[in-house]
Amino acid sequence: MAETLTAALTLKDIARQAGVSLATVDRVLHNRPGVRPDTVRRVREAIERNSFQPHVAAAELARGRARRFAFVMPSGPNPFMQQIEDYLGEMSAWLSSRRLSVEMVATDVFDPSVLAGTLEGLSDDYDGIAMVALDHPGVRAAIDDLVDAGTKVVTLVSDVPSSRRHHYVGIDNIAAGRTAGALVGRLVGQKPGKVAIVAGSRGLRDHAERIFGFNQVMASEFAGLSVLPVLEGRDEDARSEQVLARLLSRHADIVGLYNVGAGTQGVATALSDAGRDKQVVFVGHDVTALTRRLLLQGVMDAAISQNPGHEARAAVRVLLALARGEPILREQEKIRIDIVMRDNLP
Amino acid sequence: MAETLTAALTLKDIARQAGVSLATVDRVLHNRPGVRPDTVRRVREAIERNSFQPHVAAAELARGRARRFAFVMPSGPNPFMQQIEDYLGEMSAWLSSRRLSVEMVATDVFDPSVLAGTLEGLSDDYDGIAMVALDHPGVRAAIDDLVDAGTKVVTLVSDVPSSRRHHYVGIDNIAAGRTAGALVGRLVGQKPGKVAIVAGSRGLRDHAERIFGFNQVMASEFAGLSVLPVLEGRDEDARSEQVLARLLSRHADIVGLYNVGAGTQGVATALSDAGRDKQVVFVGHDVTALTRRLLLQGVMDAAISQNPGHEARAAVRVLLALARGEPILREQEKIRIDIVMRDNLP
DNA sequence: CTGTTAGCGCCTTCAT
DNA sequence: ATGAAGGCGCTAACAG
């Protein structure tokens, strides 16, 4: 299967073959106007015939434009978001050696008007924006305005599918919920009983979707398990602990627990304090210092995770590809739903 | 947290600041000899002071060298290896727009002398070689010879740790085996019984390591389960089916099954023919068209997988970084042990 | 509509 | 030990 190794062609070669100048080939290559259809065809043929690929490094250098990207992230102390920011930080050498800059913009992503306001303010300053977005009409409008203004927009972790954002970097949350459900059900085994759900808020799209998927699987496949009403812990430890502790005291037959969002420490404390951390199958999200410890201790049984390093890099690469008008490598940028248990901790 | 956005510096700026010429800065940048220690220091300081990063695109263009890489892969029809080749094929535009070429070399990677011979023949033709390697002294020697000749060497999927290969792209197979063990144990639940293992051959390092990890977990955590002697199916369907069918007929109390390598179709057939495909917890490796189907049907319960697309891209990126003398992004290139169940199928 | 030309930032001889 | 100068392949004015 030896590939033919023709000495790499250049624009000039194509130009010669097509009997035109460099500039014309360049115009055709970038679909710029001002070339007679017939000429276009001749050039296209020459390109095809040689399966010519322009040298990206040369193009980048000649274009010589620096690009600025912004990442709009929640302002609160969320370990998962912090990880994404850390990985962006690790890319700094990679970024600056390509004359790219990314800036962090912290805002209250849970308040639609605040978020929308933040987005409006960014309009002209950036070539591209990645954001953790709330699915709300005001936010959708702000996104569409950005897109209309020519800014490339990528939603990160939490999507706004009704908007005209160019790309979503994150997992399918319904499938994630289904995965959590299947894990809880399978790990509980035959034992009948009740299953608890702790979420941040049912108003968050990603949480709602996860719960939906979870319930779907529970209903269809684990008839022996009955799901209790969703508790809302606002992603806070104290509140999560409190609501779960109450639930545990009322139901002695809880055999499974799904923690949909953050507040993991609170959930774990409630379980331990009730002395039931080893009996209840506990599945949550994301690999953090805390969930890692809980998995090793056997308190948590599995974590559903989306690789934050991959998400950070994918968001940057997608913004860059969009800005340059290059194709996006879907396969590479797709974020998978990882199941992490004690023995495959990354 | 706004970053300072200094207009990107160039070599020339550094040269001026250090009071030297372009060429000298370039020499320092690449640790080339012929610069007085004192001058080196002055230049280094200027670079540090501005945290200067040379523009990679410019460097690539100026260097202008095409690189050739080879991938040495098993010649048999292995679906997983086929996937890696397919993903390499998908990269062709990416590769040629960077003036890189990769060529596939098929060989019998299971025969040490054949493999070693193939490797020797490649010495001078390539800047870098990725290979699926057998851990054997002859192969180790061939690898070390390549390294001595200045060729960059990456082992893929299967490692030769005792060699001086520059990098290994693949998973930790002991951990993968542990993960499989934990899954079988947890999914079986309380039910006591026996567990079967089907491997290609215990002589393959990766299979041996997986079995080791699997047994480790079984022994330490699932006292109720007893592991039967390892069956060898040579990664062939017919043979795997045959040996497993015999085992199933002898032991009515098999509750778990770990298929370490290929031959998956044979294993599945044996289970189905015995009418026990729904009762036995079946864990295997890799996501292929077949394992995907088996997972959806509920015949397989989980697949331990290493993302073939990621492995293909990581191998190329690592070879390229090695060839250019750039740092390898460990975090990015690390291959994770994926647990794939029905609901998180990629 | 098409061609000419001057760089982009770095690397690499070749001089000094 | 150091500097000067000509590209690498493409893009973007500016002419025609």
PDB file of all heavy atoms in Angstrom, chain A residues 195-199 202 207 210-212 214-215 218 227-233 243-244 247 254 256-260:
ATOM      1  N   VAL A 195     -34.452   4.662  44.695  1.00  0.00           N
ATOM      2  CA  VAL A 195     -33.299   5.379  44.149  1.00  0.00           C
ATOM      3  C   VAL A 195     -33.509   6.883  44.309  1.00  0.00           C
ATOM      4  O   VAL A 195     -34.572   7.407  43.977  1.00  0.00           O
ATOM      5  CB  VAL A 195     -33.113   5.047  42.654  1.00  0.00           C
ATOM      6  CG1 VAL A 195     -32.022   5.905  42.041  1.00  0.00           C
ATOM      7  CG2 VAL A 195     -32.786   3.574  42.481  1.00  0.00           C
ATOM      8  N   ALA A 196     -32.495   7.557  44.825  1.00  0.00           N
ATOM      9  CA  ALA A 196     -32.579   9.008  45.037  1.00  0.00           C
ATOM     10  C   ALA A 196     -31.821   9.760  43.955  1.00  0.00           C
ATOM     11  O   ALA A 196     -30.834   9.265  43.419  1.00  0.00           O
ATOM     12  CB  ALA A 196     -32.001   9.363  46.404  1.00  0.00           C
ATOM     13  N   ILE A 197     -32.300  10.955  43.643  1.00  0.00           N
ATOM     14  CA  ILE A 197     -31.610  11.823  42.689  1.00  0.00           C
ATOM     15  C   ILE A 197     -31.394  13.178  43.344  1.00  0.00           C
ATOM     16  O   ILE A 197     -32.329  13.779  43.869  1.00  0.00           O
ATOM     17  CB  ILE A 197     -32.449  12.035  41.412  1.00  0.00           C
ATOM     18  CG1 ILE A 197     -32.710  10.699  40.709  1.00  0.00           C
ATOM     19  CG2 ILE A 197     -31.745  13.000  40.470  1.00  0.00           C
ATOM     20  CD1 ILE A 197     -33.551  10.850  39.444  1.00  0.00           C
ATOM     21  N   VAL A 198     -30.137  13.643  43.301  1.00  0.00           N
ATOM     22  CA  VAL A 198     -29.845  14.996  43.772  1.00  0.00           C
ATOM     23  C   VAL A 198     -29.348  15.793  42.580  1.00  0.00           C
ATOM     24  O   VAL A 198     -28.366  15.413  41.935  1.00  0.00           O
ATOM     25  CB  VAL A 198     -28.754  14.999  44.869  1.00  0.00           C
ATOM     26  CG1 VAL A 198     -28.495  16.419  45.350  1.00  0.00           C
ATOM     27  CG2 VAL A 198     -29.152  14.110  46.026  1.00  0.00           C
ATOM     28  N   ALA A 199     -30.010  16.899  42.283  1.00  0.00           N
ATOM     29  CA  ALA A 199     -29.593  17.744  41.154  1.00  0.00           C
ATOM     30  C   ALA A 199     -29.316  19.146  41.653  1.00  0.00           C
ATOM     31  O   ALA A 199     -29.648  19.493  42.795  1.00  0.00           O
ATOM     32  CB  ALA A 199     -30.683  17.771  40.098  1.00  0.00           C
ATOM     33  N   ARG A 202     -33.562  21.777  38.474  1.00  0.00           N
ATOM     34  CA  ARG A 202     -34.161  21.185  37.296  1.00  0.00           C
ATOM     35  C   ARG A 202     -34.312  22.214  36.180  1.00  0.00           C
ATOM     36  O   ARG A 202     -34.752  21.905  35.084  1.00  0.00           O
ATOM     37  CB  ARG A 202     -35.514  20.569  37.649  1.00  0.00           C
ATOM     38  CG  ARG A 202     -35.357  19.133  38.134  1.00  0.00           C
ATOM     39  CD  ARG A 202     -36.640  18.667  38.745  1.00  0.00           C
ATOM     40  NE  ARG A 202     -37.059  19.612  39.774  1.00  0.00           N
ATOM     41  CZ  ARG A 202     -38.192  19.519  40.449  1.00  0.00           C
ATOM     42  NH1 ARG A 202     -39.015  18.549  40.208  1.00  0.00           N
ATOM     43  NH2 ARG A 202     -38.480  20.405  41.367  1.00  0.00           N
ATOM     44  N   HIS A 207     -28.824  19.450  33.494  1.00  0.00           N
ATOM     45  CA  HIS A 207     -29.322  18.623  34.586  1.00  0.00           C
ATOM     46  C   HIS A 207     -30.652  17.977  34.218  1.00  0.00           C
ATOM     47  O   HIS A 207     -30.881  16.800  34.468  1.00  0.00           O
ATOM     48  CB  HIS A 207     -29.465  19.470  35.859  1.00  0.00           C
ATOM     49  CG  HIS A 207     -28.149  19.808  36.486  1.00  0.00           C
ATOM     50  ND1 HIS A 207     -28.004  20.162  37.796  1.00  0.00           N
ATOM     51  CD2 HIS A 207     -26.899  19.817  35.966  1.00  0.00           C
ATOM     52  CE1 HIS A 207     -26.725  20.396  38.053  1.00  0.00           C
ATOM     53  NE2 HIS A 207     -26.041  20.197  36.959  1.00  0.00           N
ATOM     54  N   ARG A 210     -30.084  15.085  31.882  1.00  0.00           N
ATOM     55  CA  ARG A 210     -29.522  13.908  32.545  1.00  0.00           C
ATOM     56  C   ARG A 210     -30.597  13.164  33.325  1.00  0.00           C
ATOM     57  O   ARG A 210     -30.664  11.934  33.307  1.00  0.00           O
ATOM     58  CB  ARG A 210     -28.390  14.335  33.493  1.00  0.00           C
ATOM     59  CG  ARG A 210     -27.157  14.819  32.767  1.00  0.00           C
ATOM     60  CD  ARG A 210     -26.109  15.362  33.724  1.00  0.00           C
ATOM     61  NE  ARG A 210     -24.990  15.935  32.974  1.00  0.00           N
ATOM     62  CZ  ARG A 210     -23.951  16.537  33.533  1.00  0.00           C
ATOM     63  NH1 ARG A 210     -23.865  16.666  34.847  1.00  0.00           N
ATOM     64  NH2 ARG A 210     -22.979  17.012  32.776  1.00  0.00           N
ATOM     65  N   ILE A 211     -31.418  13.919  34.020  1.00  0.00           N
ATOM     66  CA  ILE A 211     -32.489  13.300  34.805  1.00  0.00           C
ATOM     67  C   ILE A 211     -33.451  12.561  33.878  1.00  0.00           C
ATOM     68  O   ILE A 211     -33.881  11.438  34.162  1.00  0.00           O
ATOM     69  CB  ILE A 211     -33.244  14.380  35.614  1.00  0.00           C
ATOM     70  CG1 ILE A 211     -32.309  14.962  36.671  1.00  0.00           C
ATOM     71  CG2 ILE A 211     -34.482  13.786  36.263  1.00  0.00           C
ATOM     72  CD1 ILE A 211     -32.860  16.197  37.356  1.00  0.00           C
ATOM     73  N   PHE A 212     -33.742  13.188  32.778  1.00  0.00           N
ATOM     74  CA  PHE A 212     -34.641  12.567  31.808  1.00  0.00           C
ATOM     75  C   PHE A 212     -34.093  11.219  31.352  1.00  0.00           C
ATOM     76  O   PHE A 212     -34.793  10.198  31.361  1.00  0.00           O
ATOM     77  CB  PHE A 212     -34.809  13.508  30.613  1.00  0.00           C
ATOM     78  CG  PHE A 212     -35.655  12.952  29.510  1.00  0.00           C
ATOM     79  CD1 PHE A 212     -37.041  12.935  29.616  1.00  0.00           C
ATOM     80  CD2 PHE A 212     -35.068  12.435  28.354  1.00  0.00           C
ATOM     81  CE1 PHE A 212     -37.816  12.414  28.600  1.00  0.00           C
ATOM     82  CE2 PHE A 212     -35.841  11.916  27.341  1.00  0.00           C
ATOM     83  CZ  PHE A 212     -37.216  11.905  27.461  1.00  0.00           C
ATOM     84  N   PHE A 214     -31.874   9.373  32.793  1.00  0.00           N
ATOM     85  CA  PHE A 214     -31.790   8.460  33.938  1.00  0.00           C
ATOM     86  C   PHE A 214     -33.136   7.781  34.173  1.00  0.00           C
ATOM     87  O   PHE A 214     -33.237   6.559  34.288  1.00  0.00           O
ATOM     88  CB  PHE A 214     -31.372   9.251  35.173  1.00  0.00           C
ATOM     89  CG  PHE A 214     -31.099   8.418  36.393  1.00  0.00           C
ATOM     90  CD1 PHE A 214     -29.843   7.882  36.616  1.00  0.00           C
ATOM     91  CD2 PHE A 214     -32.098   8.176  37.325  1.00  0.00           C
ATOM     92  CE1 PHE A 214     -29.583   7.112  37.744  1.00  0.00           C
ATOM     93  CE2 PHE A 214     -31.852   7.404  38.452  1.00  0.00           C
ATOM     94  CZ  PHE A 214     -30.585   6.875  38.657  1.00  0.00           C
ATOM     95  N   ASN A 215     -34.177   8.593  34.204  1.00  0.00           N
ATOM     96  CA  ASN A 215     -35.511   8.045  34.458  1.00  0.00           C
ATOM     97  C   ASN A 215     -35.962   7.104  33.352  1.00  0.00           C
ATOM     98  O   ASN A 215     -36.610   6.087  33.606  1.00  0.00           O
ATOM     99  CB  ASN A 215     -36.519   9.184  34.610  1.00  0.00           C
ATOM    100  CG  ASN A 215     -36.413   9.836  35.975  1.00  0.00           C
ATOM    101  OD1 ASN A 215     -36.091   9.190  36.969  1.00  0.00           O
ATOM    102  ND2 ASN A 215     -36.667  11.140  36.030  1.00  0.00           N
ATOM    103  N   MET A 218     -34.373   3.791  34.010  1.00  0.00           N
ATOM    104  CA  MET A 218     -34.949   3.210  35.223  1.00  0.00           C
ATOM    105  C   MET A 218     -36.324   2.619  34.941  1.00  0.00           C
ATOM    106  O   MET A 218     -36.630   1.493  35.329  1.00  0.00           O
ATOM    107  CB  MET A 218     -35.092   4.300  36.294  1.00  0.00           C
ATOM    108  CG  MET A 218     -33.815   4.589  37.019  1.00  0.00           C
ATOM    109  SD  MET A 218     -33.312   3.109  37.928  1.00  0.00           S
ATOM    110  CE  MET A 218     -31.575   3.371  38.015  1.00  0.00           C
ATOM    111  N   VAL A 227     -37.921   5.306  41.642  1.00  0.00           N
ATOM    112  CA  VAL A 227     -37.161   6.556  41.736  1.00  0.00           C
ATOM    113  C   VAL A 227     -37.932   7.579  42.563  1.00  0.00           C
ATOM    114  O   VAL A 227     -39.103   7.861  42.294  1.00  0.00           O
ATOM    115  CB  VAL A 227     -36.901   7.123  40.325  1.00  0.00           C
ATOM    116  CG1 VAL A 227     -36.119   8.419  40.416  1.00  0.00           C
ATOM    117  CG2 VAL A 227     -36.147   6.107  39.487  1.00  0.00           C
ATOM    118  N   LEU A 228     -37.262   8.126  43.566  1.00  0.00           N
ATOM    119  CA  LEU A 228     -37.877   9.145  44.425  1.00  0.00           C
ATOM    120  C   LEU A 228     -37.839  10.508  43.731  1.00  0.00           C
ATOM    121  O   LEU A 228     -37.049  10.723  42.818  1.00  0.00           O
ATOM    122  CB  LEU A 228     -37.108   9.216  45.745  1.00  0.00           C
ATOM    123  CG  LEU A 228     -37.196   7.943  46.602  1.00  0.00           C
ATOM    124  CD1 LEU A 228     -36.153   7.977  47.722  1.00  0.00           C
ATOM    125  CD2 LEU A 228     -38.601   7.815  47.178  1.00  0.00           C
ATOM    126  N   PRO A 229     -38.668  11.440  44.172  1.00  0.00           N
ATOM    127  CA  PRO A 229     -38.670  12.777  43.561  1.00  0.00           C
ATOM    128  C   PRO A 229     -37.293  13.429  43.646  1.00  0.00           C
ATOM    129  O   PRO A 229     -36.552  13.237  44.615  1.00  0.00           O
ATOM    130  CB  PRO A 229     -39.683  13.546  44.414  1.00  0.00           C
ATOM    131  CG  PRO A 229     -40.561  12.513  45.019  1.00  0.00           C
ATOM    132  CD  PRO A 229     -39.702  11.294  45.203  1.00  0.00           C
ATOM    133  N   VAL A 230     -36.981  14.207  42.629  1.00  0.00           N
ATOM    134  CA  VAL A 230     -35.659  14.837  42.544  1.00  0.00           C
ATOM    135  C   VAL A 230     -35.457  15.866  43.650  1.00  0.00           C
ATOM    136  O   VAL A 230     -36.309  16.714  43.892  1.00  0.00           O
ATOM    137  CB  VAL A 230     -35.511  15.539  41.176  1.00  0.00           C
ATOM    138  CG1 VAL A 230     -34.190  16.296  41.110  1.00  0.00           C
ATOM    139  CG2 VAL A 230     -35.609  14.532  40.049  1.00  0.00           C
ATOM    140  N   LEU A 231     -34.310  15.774  44.316  1.00  0.00           N
ATOM    141  CA  LEU A 231     -33.937  16.782  45.315  1.00  0.00           C
ATOM    142  C   LEU A 231     -33.140  17.871  44.617  1.00  0.00           C
ATOM    143  O   LEU A 231     -32.344  17.586  43.730  1.00  0.00           O
ATOM    144  CB  LEU A 231     -33.069  16.143  46.396  1.00  0.00           C
ATOM    145  CG  LEU A 231     -33.689  14.955  47.156  1.00  0.00           C
ATOM    146  CD1 LEU A 231     -32.651  14.372  48.114  1.00  0.00           C
ATOM    147  CD2 LEU A 231     -34.922  15.420  47.922  1.00  0.00           C
ATOM    148  N   GLU A 232     -33.320  19.113  45.051  1.00  0.00           N
ATOM    149  CA  GLU A 232     -32.535  20.188  44.441  1.00  0.00           C
ATOM    150  C   GLU A 232     -31.538  20.738  45.457  1.00  0.00           C
ATOM    151  O   GLU A 232     -31.905  21.268  46.489  1.00  0.00           O
ATOM    152  CB  GLU A 232     -33.462  21.303  43.944  1.00  0.00           C
ATOM    153  CG  GLU A 232     -34.469  20.788  42.927  1.00  0.00           C
ATOM    154  CD  GLU A 232     -35.013  21.903  42.037  1.00  0.00           C
ATOM    155  OE1 GLU A 232     -34.365  22.965  41.935  1.00  0.00           O
ATOM    156  OE2 GLU A 232     -36.085  21.688  41.431  1.00  0.00           O
ATOM    157  N   GLY A 233     -30.284  20.595  45.158  1.00  0.00           N
ATOM    158  CA  GLY A 233     -29.237  21.026  46.084  1.00  0.00           C
ATOM    159  C   GLY A 233     -28.512  22.275  45.635  1.00  0.00           C
ATOM    160  O   GLY A 233     -27.574  22.722  46.275  1.00  0.00           O
ATOM    161  N   VAL A 243     -30.719  18.226  52.291  1.00  0.00           N
ATOM    162  CA  VAL A 243     -31.892  17.594  51.672  1.00  0.00           C
ATOM    163  C   VAL A 243     -31.738  16.081  51.586  1.00  0.00           C
ATOM    164  O   VAL A 243     -32.697  15.330  51.784  1.00  0.00           O
ATOM    165  CB  VAL A 243     -32.199  18.177  50.275  1.00  0.00           C
ATOM    166  CG1 VAL A 243     -32.634  19.640  50.402  1.00  0.00           C
ATOM    167  CG2 VAL A 243     -31.020  18.040  49.347  1.00  0.00           C
ATOM    168  N   LEU A 244     -30.506  15.638  51.315  1.00  0.00           N
ATOM    169  CA  LEU A 244     -30.305  14.199  51.204  1.00  0.00           C
ATOM    170  C   LEU A 244     -30.416  13.523  52.570  1.00  0.00           C
ATOM    171  O   LEU A 244     -30.995  12.436  52.689  1.00  0.00           O
ATOM    172  CB  LEU A 244     -28.944  13.894  50.569  1.00  0.00           C
ATOM    173  CG  LEU A 244     -28.643  12.409  50.425  1.00  0.00           C
ATOM    174  CD1 LEU A 244     -29.714  11.701  49.607  1.00  0.00           C
ATOM    175  CD2 LEU A 244     -27.277  12.185  49.781  1.00  0.00           C
ATOM    176  N   LEU A 247     -33.915  12.908  53.388  1.00  0.00           N
ATOM    177  CA  LEU A 247     -34.488  11.821  52.585  1.00  0.00           C
ATOM    178  C   LEU A 247     -34.045  10.453  53.109  1.00  0.00           C
ATOM    179  O   LEU A 247     -34.844   9.514  53.209  1.00  0.00           O
ATOM    180  CB  LEU A 247     -34.067  11.971  51.118  1.00  0.00           C
ATOM    181  CG  LEU A 247     -34.852  11.098  50.147  1.00  0.00           C
ATOM    182  CD1 LEU A 247     -36.213  11.725  49.884  1.00  0.00           C
ATOM    183  CD2 LEU A 247     -34.105  10.941  48.836  1.00  0.00           C
ATOM    184  N   ILE A 254     -33.287   2.873  50.568  1.00  0.00           N
ATOM    185  CA  ILE A 254     -32.631   3.485  49.414  1.00  0.00           C
ATOM    186  C   ILE A 254     -31.398   2.650  49.053  1.00  0.00           C
ATOM    187  O   ILE A 254     -30.527   2.431  49.888  1.00  0.00           O
ATOM    188  CB  ILE A 254     -32.226   4.938  49.717  1.00  0.00           C
ATOM    189  CG1 ILE A 254     -33.488   5.801  49.819  1.00  0.00           C
ATOM    190  CG2 ILE A 254     -31.287   5.473  48.636  1.00  0.00           C
ATOM    191  CD1 ILE A 254     -33.223   7.246  50.152  1.00  0.00           C
ATOM    192  N   GLY A 256     -29.853   3.114  45.735  1.00  0.00           N
ATOM    193  CA  GLY A 256     -29.080   3.790  44.694  1.00  0.00           C
ATOM    194  C   GLY A 256     -29.214   5.288  44.800  1.00  0.00           C
ATOM    195  O   GLY A 256     -30.205   5.806  45.321  1.00  0.00           O
ATOM    196  N   LEU A 257     -28.171   5.991  44.324  1.00  0.00           N
ATOM    197  CA  LEU A 257     -28.164   7.444  44.401  1.00  0.00           C
ATOM    198  C   LEU A 257     -27.468   8.022  43.178  1.00  0.00           C
ATOM    199  O   LEU A 257     -26.370   7.602  42.819  1.00  0.00           O
ATOM    200  CB  LEU A 257     -27.405   7.869  45.663  1.00  0.00           C
ATOM    201  CG  LEU A 257     -27.006   9.341  45.771  1.00  0.00           C
ATOM    202  CD1 LEU A 257     -28.237  10.238  45.777  1.00  0.00           C
ATOM    203  CD2 LEU A 257     -26.193   9.564  47.035  1.00  0.00           C
ATOM    204  N   TYR A 258     -28.122   8.969  42.542  1.00  0.00           N
ATOM    205  CA  TYR A 258     -27.525   9.633  41.376  1.00  0.00           C
ATOM    206  C   TYR A 258     -27.364  11.111  41.683  1.00  0.00           C
ATOM    207  O   TYR A 258     -28.346  11.816  41.894  1.00  0.00           O
ATOM    208  CB  TYR A 258     -28.429   9.436  40.152  1.00  0.00           C
ATOM    209  CG  TYR A 258     -27.951  10.145  38.887  1.00  0.00           C
ATOM    210  CD1 TYR A 258     -26.593  10.294  38.606  1.00  0.00           C
ATOM    211  CD2 TYR A 258     -28.867  10.645  37.965  1.00  0.00           C
ATOM    212  CE1 TYR A 258     -26.171  10.930  37.453  1.00  0.00           C
ATOM    213  CE2 TYR A 258     -28.452  11.277  36.797  1.00  0.00           C
ATOM    214  CZ  TYR A 258     -27.089  11.431  36.558  1.00  0.00           C
ATOM    215  OH  TYR A 258     -26.665  12.065  35.415  1.00  0.00           O
ATOM    216  N   ASN A 259     -26.120  11.558  41.735  1.00  0.00           N
ATOM    217  CA  ASN A 259     -25.859  12.980  41.954  1.00  0.00           C
ATOM    218  C   ASN A 259     -25.593  13.626  40.595  1.00  0.00           C
ATOM    219  O   ASN A 259     -24.572  13.373  39.966  1.00  0.00           O
ATOM    220  CB  ASN A 259     -24.664  13.156  42.886  1.00  0.00           C
ATOM    221  CG  ASN A 259     -24.450  14.614  43.251  1.00  0.00           C
ATOM    222  OD1 ASN A 259     -25.413  15.354  43.413  1.00  0.00           O
ATOM    223  ND2 ASN A 259     -23.192  15.017  43.368  1.00  0.00           N
ATOM    224  N   VAL A 260     -26.502  14.450  40.167  1.00  0.00           N
ATOM    225  CA  VAL A 260     -26.498  14.951  38.791  1.00  0.00           C
ATOM    226  C   VAL A 260     -25.478  16.062  38.556  1.00  0.00           C
ATOM    227  O   VAL A 260     -24.929  16.200  37.474  1.00  0.00           O
ATOM    228  CB  VAL A 260     -27.911  15.465  38.428  1.00  0.00           C
ATOM    229  CG1 VAL A 260     -27.959  15.944  36.993  1.00  0.00           C
ATOM    230  CG2 VAL A 260     -28.938  14.385  38.672  1.00  0.00           C
TER     231      VAL A 260
END
